[in-house]
Amino acid sequence: MDTLINDIIDVVGKNGVLLGDDVRQRSVDWFTKASCQAKAIVRPQSTEQLSQIMKLCHAVNQPVVTHGGLTGVVHGAIATPDELVISLELMNQIEDIDAVGSTMQVQAGATLQRVQEAAEAIDMQFALDLGARGSCTIGGNIATNAGGIRVIRYGMMRQQVLGLEVVLSDGTVVSSMNTMLKNNAGYDLKQLFIGSEGTLGIVTRAVLRLHPQMPSEQTALVAVPSFQALTALLSLASKELANGLSAFEALWNNHYALMTAERTKHSPLLATDSPFYAIIETLGSDEEKDAEAFARVLEQALEAELITDAVLAQSSSQRQGIWEVREDIETLVHELDPMFSFDISLPIAHMDAYVTSLEEKLKAQWPETGQIVVFGHLGDGNLHIMISVRDAAAESRRQVEALVYGSLTQYRGSISAEHGVGLEKRDYLSLSRSFEEIALMQRLKHALDPKGLLNPGKILG
Amino acid sequence: MDTLINDIIDVVGKNGVLLGDDVRQRSVDWFTKASCQAKAIVRPQSTEQLSQIMKLCHAVNQPVVTHGGLTGVVHGAIATPDELVISLELMNQIEDIDAVGSTMQVQAGATLQRVQEAAEAIDMQFALDLGARGSCTIGGNIATNAGGIRVIRYGMMRQQVLGLEVVLSDGTVVSSMNTMLKNNAGYDLKQLFIGSEGTLGIVTRAVLRLHPQMPSEQTALVAVPSFQALTALLSLASKELANGLSAFEALWNNHYALMTAERTKHSPLLATDSPFYAIIETLGSDEEKDAEAFARVLEQALEAELITDAVLAQSSSQRQGIWEVREDIETLVHELDPMFSFDISLPIAHMDAYVTSLEEKLKAQWPETGQIVVFGHLGDGNLHIMISVRDAAAESRRQVEALVYGSLTQYRGSISAEHGVGLEKRDYLSLSRSFEEIALMQRLKHALDPKGLLNPGKILG
């Protein structure tokens, strides 16, 4: 065992360092379940411990990869045998909740679901929400600027963070635990770390913004006859439910039909022959009035033939049933195995042409095996595209990537809307970012982590 | 005339450079109307011209100060005789409006009001709003991360910016004109420049986010019997009007009574003996239902004795009348001349104690001349405090600053909620930011502007 590990054990104790099989047993990739190859997994119990660990690593140029809930999908947590993993799993406390100030102070390792539940316990809400809520951590949500299903109403994780504490590559602790909605006293340093995927600093604690709880929740699954109708429906809902609209998720037929096929566990709530489906949700404070307004919009949509059918959730279990179809990624992974996953954004006006053309190209190149599933946060201009050609080879992946990213640039789209870049999309960064942008990213990386110790190779090569 | 000016005239033409009296005639300070002392005012007509100008300046180490609408109040635009002013006034075009994508592309010199009007012309809204709307520019709003009266609903300027184009100190153009709501393809570079007060780069163009227009606007001025009632009223309004609440402005009696005194032009809409007043506003899509909900909240507040009286605007001119009292800063400046202006944030729970104690200390130190006026964005934890001791001397200013900032640190408040730091608050930055935070700011400044050419001395010493 090398000296560094011994020195780290002196800081965190034996229980704070995992070695050998305890490391290999862990997966670093949600899709492939690939085993963790790191030299060791180090588990600090405090910011002070982490600071000491990073000072030790900095002294001997030891690179580190930070782990949260490991629910990322862009290979952002992969570690080589030369790298140490820093896991925030033992720093998972909810330190403070302030109902008057509408803030919560948490350690980075707390899961999103615990944070949501802690907010609910004081009649507030934490507004970020996504399928991996039970496993993903606040630190990971911050490091990846997580999106999810309520971005249309509350913004991404960036909008939920008021303050941040970060350990830099040399062990310096930058505590910027602001609790106020507005603070223009100098540069807003937290912005630098949010969405930087662990390459500029290690997030240890955060002050989160809470919102009033919305007791009235209206949810519907609707069948939509065309893409034009889908965008018109989004406009109608945005306008008529403007203040309350909290989710507008679109499902292409290839998604809904697959997820409700007989062999999967979801029974279809609507006939499976509609070209598109949408999940629409509003949050409000007045159940009766909100239900009325919601029903009125659905009626208007029916009359205008923007929808052909609708199921309105009458209970929270019915609501659950609607969302399960959207959130069950495991069934998708199983059905499409081996699956290539994409998370793009592009202007809504171009989405239909883009997807149609992609589908045609896929079928032309893989007439037998090519399969595509499309769904996503339409209101945010963000689509998730899952593709299988029944072949996991690197060359097949590259060919599929060429198809997906090929026409994206002409629409000035992004190769990553909410999943980040990691290792997986790194080689395509220049499709969404200019030479000058990437050079500036590298300049920031060099300024904050001159030795390149933090999550090496992720985002930037 | 020096060589640099001649070289710059070669780039922008004679009309692009102001010299001598044309420079002195301009003011750099909204309160004092102090004359501009810069060597010259350079007015590029395009990003390309500005890039060339900065290359010339960089080659000879010429420092520059960027000017927008000059409505800032922290001496952020002051330029010495050795400095050049870069004014974006000729780059004021609205380049594109996309109703489907809900975006607008503008040059930095466009005024906020023109942007608001352009959005309204296509039935959308641009959500930032503040009193200086007719003069302040989008570039200035971005450089200072402007706040204003709708932060409680829509966030600060940071939340309204999707994409940004910036010229760096060496003339490099970083074009990051993202049009999408979600884009996690690498570091979100625009965040670095928003709120950096022209010290890291010069903002030349931006992609702004638009929101659906809210045809229904409910506005009331209410009299509030105590600070406790004021915060209870905010909680009630936040909860009951949650999705629609767009402004919650508090006026202390010392503000309302002064602004509606006989010698000023505003006639009081409510009796002037209430300890507090609030302006409450909601934005929505259904006039009838919104008016009902708004009236219901006011009734509830009356019954619970959270308010003692209310005026509900029945027309847009009545709405205007309510807001004029809040937005008429000129009368304040006139009444309190010479006035020291503060813009602090602190947890709402501590505000009353803080202001009461500040008032007592002021009266103890300046029993004859001390006068304080307090108002602000209560929902954001942000107060504007105007103080006069009828004496503009630097020593008096320092004494007043010591009073205002003295007890702020114990509440972990901020010396600047929305106005920024500039020169005026620079010496107090360490009250709101730690050594490590300031060191990191300096590291960023050095990484982006190693020669220190951009707005020298502002924010950081």
Side-chain angles (χ1 to χ4, degrees):
Chain A
M1 201 155 49
D2 67 21
T3 321
L4 175 65
I5 300 287
N6 280 326
D7 291 346
I8 290 176
I9 288 174
D10 285 347
V11 175
V12 297
K14 276 226 146 122
N15 184 45
V17 177
L18 305 182
L19 297 163
D21 282 352
D22 289 342
V23 176
R24 303 296 162 258
Q25 271 169 22
R26 295 208 176 186
S27 145
V28 290
D29 193 280
W30 196 86
F31 286 150
T32 65
K33 312 292 178 204
S35 152
C36 182
Q37 298 302 312
K39 190 192 289 189
I41 296 177
V42 178
R43 308 187 298 170
Q45 289 163 64
S46 67
T47 303
E48 184 43 45
Q49 282 188 2
L50 179 59
S51 169
Q52 288 182 53
I53 293 164
M54 287 313 299
K55 280 175 190 159
L56 292 169
C57 290
H58 191 256
V60 298
N61 298 332
Q62 171 62 53
V64 303
V65 176
T66 306
H67 279 188
L70 298 173
T71 59
V73 293
V74 294
H75 304 158
I78 282 180
T80 67
D82 295 330
E83 293 167 348
L84 277 188
V85 160
I86 305 283
S87 169
L88 277 296
E89 64 199 73
L90 302 183
M91 291 179 61
N92 59 8
Q93 297 303 300
I94 292 175
E95 298 181 326
D96 189 40
I97 307 187
D98 175 358
V100 178
S102 299
T103 60
M104 187 188 306
Q105 184 174 311
V106 299
Q107 290 183 315
T111 64
L112 173 57
Q113 189 167 336
R114 278 193 55 222
V115 166
Q116 289 174 337
E117 287 167 359
E120 281 157 25
I122 58 159
D123 282 335
M124 304 285 289
Q125 63 157 321
F126 182 64
L128 189 84
D129 196 21
L130 46 92
R133 61 184 76 80
S135 314
C136 65
T137 66
I138 290 298
N141 296 151
I142 292 171
T144 59
N145 186 28
I149 56 176
R150 288 184 174 168
V151 172
I152 197 171
R153 172 67 183 87
Y154 294 102
M156 298 179 79
M157 187 64 179
R158 190 179 295 280
Q159 274 76 65
Q160 320 308 327
V161 181
L162 293 175
L164 213 58
E165 182 184 78
V166 170
V167 175
L168 301 184
S169 65
D170 62 0
T172 302
V173 179
V174 181
S175 183
S176 213
M177 295 289 274
N178 169 64
T179 60
M180 286 160 298
L181 273 186
K182 292 160 84 171
N183 190 348
N184 273 349
Y187 307 156
D188 191 359
L189 297 170
K190 65 176 176 280
Q191 305 297 345
L192 199 59
F193 301 99
I194 299 170
S196 70
E197 303 183 33
T199 63
L200 298 178
I202 300 174
V203 174
T204 48
R205 298 196 301 158
V207 180
L208 305 176
R209 180 182 186 180
L210 304 180
H211 288 275
Q213 204 171 37
M214 296 287 165
S216 141
E217 207 163 41
Q218 313 297 324
T219 311
L221 173 71
V222 298
V224 183
S226 67
F227 190 81
Q228 207 182 347
L230 193 62
T231 58
L233 180 63
L234 172 62
S235 297
L236 178 73
S238 298
K239 208 176 153 212
E240 298 298 324
L241 305 166
N243 284 325
L245 187 66
S246 56
F248 192 101
E249 299 284 307
L251 316 174
W252 265 241
N253 179 277
N254 52 34
H255 177 275
Y256 191 74
L258 177 71
M259 294 301 289
T260 57
E262 255 179 50
R263 64 190 176 282
T264 68
K265 58 186 181 218
H266 308 287
S267 52
L269 296 167
L270 294 174
T272 60
D273 58 352
S274 178
F276 298 91
Y277 300 83
I279 300 174
I280 311 176
E281 193 162 274
T282 67
L283 293 174
S285 49
D286 186 326
E287 180 67 35
E288 200 180 321
K289 287 208 164 16
D290 294 344
E292 242 179 73
F294 196 67
R296 205 167 50 235
V297 168
L298 293 183
E299 273 163 39
Q300 268 181 272
L302 263 171
E303 276 164 33
E305 297 180 0
L306 303 182
I307 62 177
T308 54
D309 203 355
V311 186
L312 198 58
Q314 303 294 338
S315 67
S316 80
S317 76
Q318 281 184 13
R319 177 183 177 273
Q320 202 61 31
I322 289 175
W323 276 109
E324 265 170 15
V325 173
R326 164 66 182 82
E327 294 193 335
D328 177 7
I329 308 295
E330 284 183 24
T331 295
L332 265 188
V333 173
H334 179 258
E335 289 285 321
L336 295 180
D337 187 52
M339 179 179 98
F340 303 139
S341 142
F342 300 93
D343 160 49
I344 60 165
S345 64
L346 76 167
I348 298 173
H350 301 304
M351 271 184 187
D352 192 30
Y354 171 80
V355 172
T356 303
S357 146
L358 177 60
E359 202 159 4
E360 282 167 7
K361 287 178 196 155
L362 186 75
K363 286 289 178 193
Q365 203 158 340
W366 289 276
E368 303 295 323
T369 55
Q371 187 176 359
I372 181 169
V373 168
V374 182
F375 59 103
H377 319 290
L378 192 81
D380 313 329
N382 177 193
L383 291 182
H384 297 310
I385 299 179
M386 307 296 177
I387 292 179
S388 181
V389 296
R390 301 297 163 190
D391 172 10
E395 182 51 25
S396 299
R397 169 181 283 279
R398 269 191 297 276
Q399 287 172 352
V400 170
E401 286 172 342
L403 287 191
V404 172
Y405 296 139
S407 57
L408 198 56
T409 46
Q410 85 193 62
Y411 301 122
R412 296 172 64 200
S414 172
I415 59 156
S416 179
E418 59 178 15
H419 289 171
V421 176
L423 278 183
E424 197 187 69
K425 301 182 194 308
R426 188 184 72 179
D427 294 345
Y428 295 99
L429 188 59
S430 63
L431 295 180
S432 291
R433 297 296 190 190
S434 67
F435 172 82
E436 289 80 10
E437 287 178 285
I438 294 172
L440 184 53
M441 290 181 204
Q442 279 161 334
R443 208 196 288 199
L444 290 172
K445 171 72 177 172
H446 186 74
L448 267 82
D449 179 21
K451 291 187 171 187
L453 302 182
L454 298 175
N455 214 4
K458 312 305 183 336
I459 303 181
L460 302 164
Chain B
M1 202 157 46
D2 67 22
T3 322
L4 176 65
I5 300 289
N6 279 327
D7 290 347
I8 289 176
I9 288 174
D10 285 347
V11 174
V12 296
K14 275 226 144 120
N15 184 45
V17 177
L18 305 182
L19 296 164
D21 282 353
D22 290 341
V23 175
R24 303 296 162 257
Q25 273 169 22
R26 296 207 176 187
S27 145
V28 289
D29 192 280
W30 196 86
F31 285 152
T32 65
K33 312 291 178 207
S35 152
C36 183
Q37 298 302 312
K39 190 193 286 189
I41 295 177
V42 179
R43 308 187 298 171
Q45 290 163 63
S46 67
T47 304
E48 183 45 43
Q49 281 188 2
L50 179 58
S51 169
Q52 288 182 54
I53 293 164
M54 287 313 300
K55 279 176 190 161
L56 292 169
C57 290
H58 192 258
V60 297
N61 298 333
Q62 171 62 53
V64 303
V65 177
T66 306
H67 279 188
L70 297 172
T71 60
V73 293
V74 293
H75 303 160
I78 282 180
T80 68
D82 295 330
E83 293 168 346
L84 276 188
V85 161
I86 305 283
S87 169
L88 278 295
E89 64 198 75
L90 302 182
M91 290 179 62
N92 60 9
Q93 297 304 301
I94 292 175
E95 298 181 326
D96 189 40
I97 307 187
D98 175 357
V100 177
S102 299
T103 61
M104 187 189 305
Q105 183 173 310
V106 300
Q107 291 183 315
T111 64
L112 172 57
Q113 188 167 338
R114 276 193 55 222
V115 166
Q116 289 175 335
E117 287 168 358
E120 281 157 26
I122 58 159
D123 281 334
M124 304 285 289
Q125 63 157 321
F126 181 64
L128 188 85
D129 197 22
L130 45 93
R133 63 184 75 80
S135 313
C136 66
T137 65
I138 289 299
N141 295 151
I142 292 171
T144 59
N145 186 27
I149 56 176
R150 288 184 175 168
V151 172
I152 198 171
R153 172 66 183 89
Y154 293 102
M156 297 180 78
M157 187 62 177
R158 191 179 295 280
Q159 274 77 64
Q160 321 308 327
V161 181
L162 294 175
L164 213 59
E165 182 183 78
V166 171
V167 175
L168 301 184
S169 65
D170 63 0
T172 302
V173 179
V174 181
S175 183
S176 214
M177 295 289 273
N178 169 63
T179 60
M180 286 160 299
L181 274 186
K182 292 160 84 171
N183 190 347
N184 273 349
Y187 307 157
D188 191 0
L189 297 170
K190 65 176 177 282
Q191 306 296 345
L192 199 60
F193 301 100
I194 298 171
S196 71
E197 303 184 32
T199 63
L200 298 179
I202 301 174
V203 173
T204 48
R205 297 195 302 158
V207 180
L208 304 175
R209 180 181 184 180
L210 304 180
H211 287 276
Q213 204 170 37
M214 295 287 167
S216 142
E217 206 162 40
Q218 314 296 324
T219 311
L221 173 71
V222 298
V224 183
S226 68
F227 189 81
Q228 208 182 345
L230 194 61
T231 58
L233 180 64
L234 173 62
S235 296
L236 178 73
S238 297
K239 209 175 151 215
E240 297 298 322
L241 305 166
N243 284 324
L245 186 66
S246 56
F248 192 101
E249 299 284 308
L251 316 174
W252 266 241
N253 179 277
N254 53 33
H255 178 275
Y256 191 74
L258 177 71
M259 294 302 288
T260 56
E262 254 178 50
R263 64 190 177 281
T264 67
K265 58 185 183 221
H266 307 288
S267 51
L269 296 167
L270 294 174
T272 60
D273 58 352
S274 178
F276 298 91
Y277 299 82
I279 299 173
I280 310 176
E281 193 162 275
T282 67
L283 294 174
S285 50
D286 187 325
E287 180 67 34
E288 200 180 321
K289 286 209 165 17
D290 295 343
E292 242 178 72
F294 197 66
R296 206 167 49 235
V297 168
L298 293 183
E299 272 162 40
Q300 268 180 271
L302 263 172
E303 276 164 33
E305 297 180 2
L306 303 181
I307 63 177
T308 54
D309 202 356
V311 187
L312 197 59
Q314 303 295 337
S315 66
S316 81
S317 77
Q318 281 184 12
R319 177 183 178 273
Q320 201 62 29
I322 290 175
W323 276 108
E324 266 171 14
V325 173
R326 164 67 183 82
E327 293 194 333
D328 178 7
I329 307 294
E330 284 183 23
T331 296
L332 265 189
V333 174
H334 179 259
E335 290 285 321
L336 295 180
D337 188 51
M339 179 179 99
F340 303 138
S341 142
F342 300 94
D343 160 50
I344 59 166
S345 65
L346 76 167
I348 298 172
H350 301 304
M351 270 184 188
D352 191 31
Y354 170 80
V355 172
T356 303
S357 147
L358 178 60
E359 201 159 6
E360 283 165 7
K361 287 179 196 155
L362 187 75
K363 286 291 178 191
Q365 203 160 339
W366 289 276
E368 302 295 323
T369 54
Q371 187 176 0
I372 182 169
V373 168
V374 183
F375 59 102
H377 318 290
L378 193 81
D380 312 330
N382 176 195
L383 292 182
H384 297 311
I385 299 179
M386 307 295 177
I387 292 179
S388 181
V389 296
R390 303 296 163 191
D391 172 10
E395 183 49 27
S396 300
R397 168 182 284 279
R398 269 192 297 275
Q399 288 171 354
V400 170
E401 286 171 343
L403 288 191
V404 173
Y405 296 139
S407 58
L408 197 56
T409 45
Q410 82 191 64
Y411 302 123
R412 295 172 66 199
S414 173
I415 59 156
S416 179
E418 59 178 15
H419 290 171
V421 176
L423 278 183
E424 197 187 68
K425 301 183 193 306
R426 188 185 72 179
D427 294 344
Y428 295 99
L429 188 60
S430 62
L431 295 180
S432 292
R433 299 294 190 191
S434 67
F435 172 82
E436 289 79 12
E437 286 178 286
I438 293 173
L440 184 52
M441 289 181 204
Q442 279 161 335
R443 207 197 288 202
L444 290 172
K445 170 73 176 173
H446 186 74
L448 267 82
D449 179 21
K451 291 187 171 188
L453 303 182
L454 297 175
N455 215 3
K458 312 306 181 342
I459 303 182
L460 302 166

